Amino acid sequence: MSIDTQVRRADPWPQERVDALDLAGADHDLLEQLVAAPRGRLRSAFAVARHRPRWQVALAATAAVAVVVASTPVALDAIRSARPVTYDVAATQVADANQRLLVDLPGWGVGEVSMFTAEEGEMTFTDGTDEIQVNWRPAVEYDDHLADRLRGNTSVPYPVLGGAGTMVRYDRSTDFTTILPPGDVNFLEIRGDLGSRAAYTRVLDALIPVGTTQWLQAMPVGVVLPSDVDAVAAEMMADMPLPPGFDAAEVVGDEVTGDRYDVGAEVSGAVMCAWLARWEEGNRSGDDEMVDSAVAALQTSKDWAILHEMTAEGDYPDVAWTIADGAAGLADDYYTEGFEFWIGAQGLGCEGYEHLME
Amino acid sequence: MTGDHEAQFRAMYVEHVGAVLGYALRRVSAPEDAADVVAETFLVAWRRHRAVPPGDEARLWLFGVARRVLANHHRGERRRRDLGGRLRLQLAGTATAPDHGDSVAADAAVDAALASLRATDREVLTLALWEDLEPHEIATVLGTSAGTVRTRLSRARARLRAELGDAHPLHASTLPKGAS
């Protein structure tokens, strides 16, 4: 028997065996979870976890708002009494194009906003304990999406926001989702597991459409609106040394709007990766000066304001600083000892180092 | 563009989830851990849709991502997301250890020999023989050249042959003269 045959026989999971596994739809369930996840130019393949829901940090970090709402989300009653603010055209256009919902219940407000275009977006509402998720998706996807949700689950008609919604219950759980018929641009889906149908419908029934300004005012304080991204990125880069040839204008795309943590990871990741590229090039070519300048620049990350701001919310800065120290300490032997280091760099979103991860 | 992307992602997922699950199952000790590898791998694909090549190249790209996810898994990183929870439960409940039947001893010897190989040698060999990849495909997964893969494959086979040594029922010393 050849070596190849023996190794093949030792395969613990021949593909036909994998294909014959009874997954009971769990693979399909994962697919639905995935497509419900926010996407975009997230830099991290191995995402660095956050400590807390974003809204808590966003609000706690902003004294002016903390006075109004303390540690709760921006609730509707607070917005009603707030003085009007003028928003720029880009933000208003996005807001105008969707349903602009808020939850009209005491203590409920916007929790997290991960995506933000007219056609597609995701936001959560929370009272600090429970949460519902509202997605708006492209209208053309309505039929497929509804069919997917209905597969294997029970559903009932449920009127919501004046429309003929379809309420789907996942697999006899208390996890419900309600899908509204499509409008011109998008359709709404409202999902939540609040422990009971009654708790879910209480929030569902309390959804109300609001005006553009009111809706924009309800955004968590940390949210960076599409039109502000470049200015925010520039502000974040103000205390970062930029490597020669670095194109600051290319750092942040316009397809994703997140909060300051998202933008901060995007910006600091881009700068650190650019320095790491020079560090690697210097090591490879034996250019000590290039290595030293990169090490020094990476070390300045310990003073970058945005990373310090982000520490309250997640581990991204820790990873960044570990990499900065790694570059300083690993420079002599990084090809053989650098595996963990490059995995970490991957965590920052740096690409093109796969060949060093063997 | 968003609708197209989701449709493409769904099609890609359906086409390749079995291959990625198989890849993961072959390389984790507890079947349910494969769910995390699959979930994390496809989450990367979802979020970095522009990086995913079309057609069958996507499968190689996914293996490349799964490989790095797996490296993190083996470093003892805890699962960070509640993705794929049902898949995890399902695998824990239904995916049982394989039964090698009569060939237990022989397969155990091969397992041990494989485990003794350098990680890079083991990787090229198992990608070739378990995932049925050609050297140029393995090169894509690993981000290296086909020539390097061929060299490693050759080395891996030689080392495996040497490792199997006396434990191997078909070791040279037990064969009739002239057999090879």
Side-chain angles (χ1 to χ4, degrees), chain A residues 45-74:
Chain A
F46 306 100
V48 180
R50 293 184 185 209
H51 304 316
R52 299 192 269 159
R54 298 173 198 193
W55 59 266
Q56 292 183 4
V57 176
L59 293 172
T62 309
V65 176
V67 171
V68 180
V69 294
S71 59
T72 61
V74 186

PDB file of all heavy atoms in Angstrom, chain A residues 45-74:
ATOM      1  N   ALA A  45      -9.387  40.352  10.324  1.00  0.00           N
ATOM      2  CA  ALA A  45      -9.881  39.019  10.018  1.00  0.00           C
ATOM      3  C   ALA A  45     -10.175  38.272  11.308  1.00  0.00           C
ATOM      4  O   ALA A  45     -11.007  37.379  11.351  1.00  0.00           O
ATOM      5  CB  ALA A  45      -8.846  38.259   9.209  1.00  0.00           C
ATOM      6  N   PHE A  46      -9.472  38.614  12.343  1.00  0.00           N
ATOM      7  CA  PHE A  46      -9.695  37.981  13.629  1.00  0.00           C
ATOM      8  C   PHE A  46     -10.135  39.097  14.564  1.00  0.00           C
ATOM      9  O   PHE A  46      -9.343  39.657  15.295  1.00  0.00           O
ATOM     10  CB  PHE A  46      -8.428  37.290  14.121  1.00  0.00           C
ATOM     11  CG  PHE A  46      -7.902  36.337  13.105  1.00  0.00           C
ATOM     12  CD1 PHE A  46      -6.856  36.678  12.293  1.00  0.00           C
ATOM     13  CD2 PHE A  46      -8.529  35.116  12.917  1.00  0.00           C
ATOM     14  CE1 PHE A  46      -6.388  35.806  11.327  1.00  0.00           C
ATOM     15  CE2 PHE A  46      -8.077  34.236  11.960  1.00  0.00           C
ATOM     16  CZ  PHE A  46      -7.006  34.585  11.158  1.00  0.00           C
ATOM     17  N   ALA A  47     -11.386  39.380  14.464  1.00  0.00           N
ATOM     18  CA  ALA A  47     -11.887  40.603  15.074  1.00  0.00           C
ATOM     19  C   ALA A  47     -11.544  40.676  16.549  1.00  0.00           C
ATOM     20  O   ALA A  47     -11.552  39.677  17.258  1.00  0.00           O
ATOM     21  CB  ALA A  47     -13.388  40.688  14.891  1.00  0.00           C
ATOM     22  N   VAL A  48     -11.223  41.849  16.953  1.00  0.00           N
ATOM     23  CA  VAL A  48     -10.869  42.072  18.344  1.00  0.00           C
ATOM     24  C   VAL A  48     -12.132  42.453  19.102  1.00  0.00           C
ATOM     25  O   VAL A  48     -12.804  43.410  18.757  1.00  0.00           O
ATOM     26  CB  VAL A  48      -9.813  43.191  18.439  1.00  0.00           C
ATOM     27  CG1 VAL A  48      -9.440  43.435  19.874  1.00  0.00           C
ATOM     28  CG2 VAL A  48      -8.584  42.803  17.628  1.00  0.00           C
ATOM     29  N   ALA A  49     -12.418  41.675  20.098  1.00  0.00           N
ATOM     30  CA  ALA A  49     -13.700  41.839  20.772  1.00  0.00           C
ATOM     31  C   ALA A  49     -13.795  43.152  21.531  1.00  0.00           C
ATOM     32  O   ALA A  49     -12.802  43.695  21.997  1.00  0.00           O
ATOM     33  CB  ALA A  49     -13.909  40.688  21.747  1.00  0.00           C
ATOM     34  N   ARG A  50     -14.997  43.620  21.645  1.00  0.00           N
ATOM     35  CA  ARG A  50     -15.242  44.805  22.456  1.00  0.00           C
ATOM     36  C   ARG A  50     -15.711  44.379  23.835  1.00  0.00           C
ATOM     37  O   ARG A  50     -16.248  43.314  24.024  1.00  0.00           O
ATOM     38  CB  ARG A  50     -16.340  45.649  21.839  1.00  0.00           C
ATOM     39  CG  ARG A  50     -15.934  46.252  20.523  1.00  0.00           C
ATOM     40  CD  ARG A  50     -17.030  47.140  20.060  1.00  0.00           C
ATOM     41  NE  ARG A  50     -16.693  47.636  18.736  1.00  0.00           N
ATOM     42  CZ  ARG A  50     -17.101  48.803  18.277  1.00  0.00           C
ATOM     43  NH1 ARG A  50     -17.845  49.569  19.008  1.00  0.00           N
ATOM     44  NH2 ARG A  50     -16.777  49.185  17.086  1.00  0.00           N
ATOM     45  N   HIS A  51     -15.528  45.275  24.755  1.00  0.00           N
ATOM     46  CA  HIS A  51     -15.919  44.953  26.123  1.00  0.00           C
ATOM     47  C   HIS A  51     -17.398  45.189  26.374  1.00  0.00           C
ATOM     48  O   HIS A  51     -18.047  44.462  27.082  1.00  0.00           O
ATOM     49  CB  HIS A  51     -15.156  45.819  27.113  1.00  0.00           C
ATOM     50  CG  HIS A  51     -13.674  45.722  26.969  1.00  0.00           C
ATOM     51  ND1 HIS A  51     -13.035  44.515  26.799  1.00  0.00           N
ATOM     52  CD2 HIS A  51     -12.719  46.669  26.952  1.00  0.00           C
ATOM     53  CE1 HIS A  51     -11.732  44.736  26.703  1.00  0.00           C
ATOM     54  NE2 HIS A  51     -11.514  46.030  26.786  1.00  0.00           N
ATOM     55  N   ARG A  52     -17.917  46.241  25.818  1.00  0.00           N
ATOM     56  CA  ARG A  52     -19.255  46.684  26.204  1.00  0.00           C
ATOM     57  C   ARG A  52     -20.037  47.098  24.971  1.00  0.00           C
ATOM     58  O   ARG A  52     -19.457  47.406  23.942  1.00  0.00           O
ATOM     59  CB  ARG A  52     -19.154  47.909  27.116  1.00  0.00           C
ATOM     60  CG  ARG A  52     -18.408  47.673  28.385  1.00  0.00           C
ATOM     61  CD  ARG A  52     -18.637  48.835  29.304  1.00  0.00           C
ATOM     62  NE  ARG A  52     -17.630  49.876  29.142  1.00  0.00           N
ATOM     63  CZ  ARG A  52     -17.819  51.127  29.506  1.00  0.00           C
ATOM     64  NH1 ARG A  52     -18.972  51.499  30.006  1.00  0.00           N
ATOM     65  NH2 ARG A  52     -16.884  52.014  29.363  1.00  0.00           N
ATOM     66  N   PRO A  53     -21.353  47.149  25.114  1.00  0.00           N
ATOM     67  CA  PRO A  53     -22.117  47.707  24.008  1.00  0.00           C
ATOM     68  C   PRO A  53     -21.639  49.119  23.694  1.00  0.00           C
ATOM     69  O   PRO A  53     -21.244  49.864  24.582  1.00  0.00           O
ATOM     70  CB  PRO A  53     -23.544  47.749  24.537  1.00  0.00           C
ATOM     71  CG  PRO A  53     -23.578  46.769  25.644  1.00  0.00           C
ATOM     72  CD  PRO A  53     -22.195  46.733  26.230  1.00  0.00           C
ATOM     73  N   ARG A  54     -21.693  49.462  22.404  1.00  0.00           N
ATOM     74  CA  ARG A  54     -21.111  50.733  21.998  1.00  0.00           C
ATOM     75  C   ARG A  54     -21.781  51.944  22.629  1.00  0.00           C
ATOM     76  O   ARG A  54     -21.140  52.907  22.951  1.00  0.00           O
ATOM     77  CB  ARG A  54     -21.211  50.890  20.487  1.00  0.00           C
ATOM     78  CG  ARG A  54     -20.471  49.838  19.743  1.00  0.00           C
ATOM     79  CD  ARG A  54     -20.763  49.965  18.294  1.00  0.00           C
ATOM     80  NE  ARG A  54     -20.401  48.717  17.627  1.00  0.00           N
ATOM     81  CZ  ARG A  54     -20.297  48.588  16.332  1.00  0.00           C
ATOM     82  NH1 ARG A  54     -20.525  49.613  15.563  1.00  0.00           N
ATOM     83  NH2 ARG A  54     -19.982  47.447  15.794  1.00  0.00           N
ATOM     84  N   TRP A  55     -23.074  51.855  22.774  1.00  0.00           N
ATOM     85  CA  TRP A  55     -23.746  53.079  23.200  1.00  0.00           C
ATOM     86  C   TRP A  55     -23.333  53.520  24.578  1.00  0.00           C
ATOM     87  O   TRP A  55     -23.265  54.692  24.880  1.00  0.00           O
ATOM     88  CB  TRP A  55     -25.269  52.921  23.113  1.00  0.00           C
ATOM     89  CG  TRP A  55     -25.812  51.802  23.939  1.00  0.00           C
ATOM     90  CD1 TRP A  55     -26.061  50.535  23.535  1.00  0.00           C
ATOM     91  CD2 TRP A  55     -26.184  51.841  25.324  1.00  0.00           C
ATOM     92  NE1 TRP A  55     -26.549  49.782  24.548  1.00  0.00           N
ATOM     93  CE2 TRP A  55     -26.646  50.558  25.662  1.00  0.00           C
ATOM     94  CE3 TRP A  55     -26.162  52.831  26.311  1.00  0.00           C
ATOM     95  CZ2 TRP A  55     -27.085  50.237  26.946  1.00  0.00           C
ATOM     96  CZ3 TRP A  55     -26.604  52.516  27.589  1.00  0.00           C
ATOM     97  CH2 TRP A  55     -27.072  51.232  27.883  1.00  0.00           C
ATOM     98  N   GLN A  56     -23.023  52.530  25.446  1.00  0.00           N
ATOM     99  CA  GLN A  56     -22.623  52.911  26.801  1.00  0.00           C
ATOM    100  C   GLN A  56     -21.364  53.770  26.756  1.00  0.00           C
ATOM    101  O   GLN A  56     -21.257  54.779  27.422  1.00  0.00           O
ATOM    102  CB  GLN A  56     -22.330  51.668  27.627  1.00  0.00           C
ATOM    103  CG  GLN A  56     -23.551  50.849  27.918  1.00  0.00           C
ATOM    104  CD  GLN A  56     -23.210  49.669  28.798  1.00  0.00           C
ATOM    105  OE1 GLN A  56     -22.084  49.524  29.245  1.00  0.00           O
ATOM    106  NE2 GLN A  56     -24.193  48.842  29.050  1.00  0.00           N
ATOM    107  N   VAL A  57     -20.435  53.327  25.945  1.00  0.00           N
ATOM    108  CA  VAL A  57     -19.170  54.037  25.870  1.00  0.00           C
ATOM    109  C   VAL A  57     -19.349  55.379  25.184  1.00  0.00           C
ATOM    110  O   VAL A  57     -18.867  56.402  25.647  1.00  0.00           O
ATOM    111  CB  VAL A  57     -18.143  53.195  25.099  1.00  0.00           C
ATOM    112  CG1 VAL A  57     -16.863  53.975  24.937  1.00  0.00           C
ATOM    113  CG2 VAL A  57     -17.898  51.899  25.839  1.00  0.00           C
ATOM    114  N   ALA A  58     -20.074  55.331  24.082  1.00  0.00           N
ATOM    115  CA  ALA A  58     -20.257  56.556  23.318  1.00  0.00           C
ATOM    116  C   ALA A  58     -20.861  57.637  24.203  1.00  0.00           C
ATOM    117  O   ALA A  58     -20.432  58.785  24.189  1.00  0.00           O
ATOM    118  CB  ALA A  58     -21.164  56.291  22.125  1.00  0.00           C
ATOM    119  N   LEU A  59     -21.820  57.242  25.000  1.00  0.00           N
ATOM    120  CA  LEU A  59     -22.478  58.244  25.838  1.00  0.00           C
ATOM    121  C   LEU A  59     -21.602  58.637  27.011  1.00  0.00           C
ATOM    122  O   LEU A  59     -21.488  59.811  27.339  1.00  0.00           O
ATOM    123  CB  LEU A  59     -23.814  57.691  26.340  1.00  0.00           C
ATOM    124  CG  LEU A  59     -24.833  57.494  25.224  1.00  0.00           C
ATOM    125  CD1 LEU A  59     -26.054  56.773  25.744  1.00  0.00           C
ATOM    126  CD2 LEU A  59     -25.229  58.837  24.627  1.00  0.00           C
ATOM    127  N   ALA A  60     -20.967  57.659  27.609  1.00  0.00           N
ATOM    128  CA  ALA A  60     -20.147  57.966  28.772  1.00  0.00           C
ATOM    129  C   ALA A  60     -18.989  58.882  28.393  1.00  0.00           C
ATOM    130  O   ALA A  60     -18.523  59.671  29.197  1.00  0.00           O
ATOM    131  CB  ALA A  60     -19.604  56.668  29.373  1.00  0.00           C
ATOM    132  N   ALA A  61     -18.551  58.769  27.144  1.00  0.00           N
ATOM    133  CA  ALA A  61     -17.381  59.536  26.721  1.00  0.00           C
ATOM    134  C   ALA A  61     -17.724  60.980  26.368  1.00  0.00           C
ATOM    135  O   ALA A  61     -16.852  61.777  26.115  1.00  0.00           O
ATOM    136  CB  ALA A  61     -16.733  58.854  25.524  1.00  0.00           C
ATOM    137  N   THR A  62     -18.973  61.283  26.318  1.00  0.00           N
ATOM    138  CA  THR A  62     -19.365  62.615  25.866  1.00  0.00           C
ATOM    139  C   THR A  62     -20.139  63.326  26.963  1.00  0.00           C
ATOM    140  O   THR A  62     -21.309  63.093  27.158  1.00  0.00           O
ATOM    141  CB  THR A  62     -20.216  62.523  24.589  1.00  0.00           C
ATOM    142  OG1 THR A  62     -19.522  61.713  23.658  1.00  0.00           O
ATOM    143  CG2 THR A  62     -20.466  63.881  24.001  1.00  0.00           C
ATOM    144  N   ALA A  63     -19.456  64.200  27.627  1.00  0.00           N
ATOM    145  CA  ALA A  63     -20.037  64.829  28.811  1.00  0.00           C
ATOM    146  C   ALA A  63     -21.329  65.570  28.513  1.00  0.00           C
ATOM    147  O   ALA A  63     -22.291  65.507  29.268  1.00  0.00           O
ATOM    148  CB  ALA A  63     -19.021  65.778  29.416  1.00  0.00           C
ATOM    149  N   ALA A  64     -21.368  66.255  27.391  1.00  0.00           N
ATOM    150  CA  ALA A  64     -22.528  67.081  27.094  1.00  0.00           C
ATOM    151  C   ALA A  64     -23.799  66.253  27.037  1.00  0.00           C
ATOM    152  O   ALA A  64     -24.857  66.680  27.488  1.00  0.00           O
ATOM    153  CB  ALA A  64     -22.331  67.787  25.758  1.00  0.00           C
ATOM    154  N   VAL A  65     -23.671  65.073  26.497  1.00  0.00           N
ATOM    155  CA  VAL A  65     -24.847  64.224  26.405  1.00  0.00           C
ATOM    156  C   VAL A  65     -25.088  63.481  27.699  1.00  0.00           C
ATOM    157  O   VAL A  65     -26.215  63.240  28.093  1.00  0.00           O
ATOM    158  CB  VAL A  65     -24.686  63.234  25.226  1.00  0.00           C
ATOM    159  CG1 VAL A  65     -25.857  62.274  25.188  1.00  0.00           C
ATOM    160  CG2 VAL A  65     -24.605  64.024  23.937  1.00  0.00           C
ATOM    161  N   ALA A  66     -23.993  63.152  28.379  1.00  0.00           N
ATOM    162  CA  ALA A  66     -24.140  62.432  29.639  1.00  0.00           C
ATOM    163  C   ALA A  66     -25.020  63.216  30.613  1.00  0.00           C
ATOM    164  O   ALA A  66     -25.757  62.653  31.404  1.00  0.00           O
ATOM    165  CB  ALA A  66     -22.778  62.163  30.255  1.00  0.00           C
ATOM    166  N   VAL A  67     -24.960  64.521  30.509  1.00  0.00           N
ATOM    167  CA  VAL A  67     -25.795  65.352  31.376  1.00  0.00           C
ATOM    168  C   VAL A  67     -27.273  65.063  31.120  1.00  0.00           C
ATOM    169  O   VAL A  67     -28.079  64.965  32.037  1.00  0.00           O
ATOM    170  CB  VAL A  67     -25.518  66.847  31.112  1.00  0.00           C
ATOM    171  CG1 VAL A  67     -26.530  67.722  31.835  1.00  0.00           C
ATOM    172  CG2 VAL A  67     -24.098  67.190  31.531  1.00  0.00           C
ATOM    173  N   VAL A  68     -27.584  64.874  29.888  1.00  0.00           N
ATOM    174  CA  VAL A  68     -28.984  64.674  29.526  1.00  0.00           C
ATOM    175  C   VAL A  68     -29.459  63.268  29.824  1.00  0.00           C
ATOM    176  O   VAL A  68     -30.505  63.057  30.416  1.00  0.00           O
ATOM    177  CB  VAL A  68     -29.194  64.963  28.013  1.00  0.00           C
ATOM    178  CG1 VAL A  68     -30.641  64.763  27.624  1.00  0.00           C
ATOM    179  CG2 VAL A  68     -28.734  66.361  27.699  1.00  0.00           C
ATOM    180  N   VAL A  69     -28.662  62.292  29.424  1.00  0.00           N
ATOM    181  CA  VAL A  69     -29.185  60.936  29.471  1.00  0.00           C
ATOM    182  C   VAL A  69     -28.412  59.988  30.373  1.00  0.00           C
ATOM    183  O   VAL A  69     -28.747  58.821  30.451  1.00  0.00           O
ATOM    184  CB  VAL A  69     -29.222  60.333  28.041  1.00  0.00           C
ATOM    185  CG1 VAL A  69     -30.207  61.071  27.179  1.00  0.00           C
ATOM    186  CG2 VAL A  69     -27.836  60.344  27.430  1.00  0.00           C
ATOM    187  N   ALA A  70     -27.412  60.493  31.076  1.00  0.00           N
ATOM    188  CA  ALA A  70     -26.618  59.631  31.959  1.00  0.00           C
ATOM    189  C   ALA A  70     -26.177  58.394  31.206  1.00  0.00           C
ATOM    190  O   ALA A  70     -25.596  58.490  30.135  1.00  0.00           O
ATOM    191  CB  ALA A  70     -27.410  59.292  33.213  1.00  0.00           C
ATOM    192  N   SER A  71     -26.467  57.207  31.718  1.00  0.00           N
ATOM    193  CA  SER A  71     -25.959  56.005  31.069  1.00  0.00           C
ATOM    194  C   SER A  71     -27.051  55.264  30.297  1.00  0.00           C
ATOM    195  O   SER A  71     -27.011  54.068  30.144  1.00  0.00           O
ATOM    196  CB  SER A  71     -25.356  55.063  32.104  1.00  0.00           C
ATOM    197  OG  SER A  71     -26.340  54.726  33.044  1.00  0.00           O
ATOM    198  N   THR A  72     -28.015  55.972  29.853  1.00  0.00           N
ATOM    199  CA  THR A  72     -29.051  55.322  29.048  1.00  0.00           C
ATOM    200  C   THR A  72     -28.936  55.795  27.615  1.00  0.00           C
ATOM    201  O   THR A  72     -28.327  56.814  27.323  1.00  0.00           O
ATOM    202  CB  THR A  72     -30.465  55.673  29.558  1.00  0.00           C
ATOM    203  OG1 THR A  72     -30.629  57.080  29.451  1.00  0.00           O
ATOM    204  CG2 THR A  72     -30.661  55.232  30.983  1.00  0.00           C
ATOM    205  N   PRO A  73     -29.518  55.031  26.692  1.00  0.00           N
ATOM    206  CA  PRO A  73     -29.496  55.484  25.316  1.00  0.00           C
ATOM    207  C   PRO A  73     -30.285  56.775  25.122  1.00  0.00           C
ATOM    208  O   PRO A  73     -31.008  57.211  26.016  1.00  0.00           O
ATOM    209  CB  PRO A  73     -30.145  54.337  24.555  1.00  0.00           C
ATOM    210  CG  PRO A  73     -30.681  53.395  25.542  1.00  0.00           C
ATOM    211  CD  PRO A  73     -30.165  53.743  26.880  1.00  0.00           C
ATOM    212  N   VAL A  74     -30.122  57.337  23.949  1.00  0.00           N
ATOM    213  CA  VAL A  74     -30.817  58.589  23.661  1.00  0.00           C
ATOM    214  C   VAL A  74     -32.301  58.279  23.471  1.00  0.00           C
ATOM    215  O   VAL A  74     -32.714  57.807  22.426  1.00  0.00           O
ATOM    216  CB  VAL A  74     -30.257  59.254  22.395  1.00  0.00           C
ATOM    217  CG1 VAL A  74     -30.889  60.621  22.184  1.00  0.00           C
ATOM    218  CG2 VAL A  74     -28.756  59.390  22.498  1.00  0.00           C
TER     219      VAL A  74
END
